[in-house]
Amino acid sequence: MTGALPFAVGDVVDLAEQHYCYGLGKLTLRIVELGRREQHSDGLWIHLRGVDLGDPRGPRQRRVLARIDAVRPAAVQRPAAHLPARPSWTCTGCGQAWPCPDRRRRLLERYAIERITLHVYLGTQLAEAASDLRQVPPALLYERFLGWLPDRRGFSEAAGGPTGG
C-alpha cells in the first residue's frame, strides 16, 4: 500500500460525500497532514487531516477517511489565509503552529508603525489559546505568541522598513 499520491500537504481538494467518512455533503479540504492508508473492499483509503474551507462557520479542522482515487484538486484554489484554527491553533493556510512564519511576516508588515497594537492583538490571541492549549506550558505559549517579536529598535527593520527609535 505504498506509492506516490496525486495530492500533498498544502493542496486544496474536493471530496464528494460518498467518497469520505465522518461528514455530510461535498467537502473542500486544505490538507495539513497525510495519515495511514487502509485497503478496503472498495479500494484504497487514506486518513487526512485538514481545514474544511467550505464550512459556513468558517475554516475548521477536520479529520476524514477518504478514497484515494476520489480525491480531486479543488476547482478554485483559495489563497492561504494563515488564520488560527481552534482548538488546535494550527494555521489554516499551511498547517503549522499559529502564528506561522508567513503570518508573523504579514503581522510585522501590517503593524510596522503600531507596535503596541500588535502586542495587544497577540496578547489577546495568547489568552484565547491558553484556554484551548492547557497542556502547553505557559513559557512555550509566550514564546510562540510574543517571544518572536523584535525589540523596539529592530521592529521596523524586521518589517522591512528603516530602523528608528
Side-chain angles (χ1 to χ4, degrees):
M1 288 192 284
T2 60
L5 295 170
F7 48 87
V9 170
D11 288 351
V12 176
V13 297
D14 284 330
L15 289 161
E17 180 177 349
Q18 67 270 26
H19 298 302
Y20 76 100
C21 296
Y22 321 128
L24 298 172
K26 179 183 160 207
L27 175 66
T28 301
L29 190 75
R30 178 178 303 280
I31 300 171
V32 297
E33 182 180 306
L34 301 172
R36 72 182 193 285
R37 300 173 199 190
E38 297 178 4
Q39 183 69 50
H40 292 271
S41 61
D42 59 346
L44 188 58
W45 292 64
I46 187 167
H47 290 266
L48 300 174
R49 184 171 62 91
V51 178
D52 182 350
L53 300 175
D55 193 308
R57 297 167 290 186
R60 302 179 78 78
Q61 286 274 333
R62 291 286 304 271
R63 289 185 183 274
V64 298
L65 179 62
R67 276 185 50 171
I68 289 178
D69 63 354
V71 177
R72 303 277 181 253
V76 176
Q77 294 277 337
R78 297 181 182 153
H82 296 279
L83 300 172
R86 294 182 70 175
S88 65
W89 287 84
T90 55
C91 177
T92 61
C94 63
Q96 296 183 52
W98 192 91
C100 66
D102 188 77
R103 186 64 176 166
R104 290 177 181 191
R105 180 186 53 76
R106 291 179 189 190
L107 287 168
L108 287 173
E109 290 171 0
R110 178 175 179 193
Y111 293 99
I113 59 172
E114 299 170 335
R115 293 189 303 268
I116 294 172
T117 304
L118 177 57
H119 280 81
V120 169
Y121 169 71
L122 288 171
T124 303
Q125 297 301 303
L126 169 60
E128 291 286 321
S131 66
D132 289 334
L133 302 173
R134 291 187 177 114
Q135 73 284 6
V136 178
L140 291 178
L141 285 176
Y142 175 84
E143 281 302 313
R144 177 173 165 179
F145 284 84
L146 294 166
W148 60 272
L149 289 169
D151 66 12
R152 184 176 181 204
R153 290 180 308 274
F155 199 91
S156 293
E157 192 173 80
T163 57

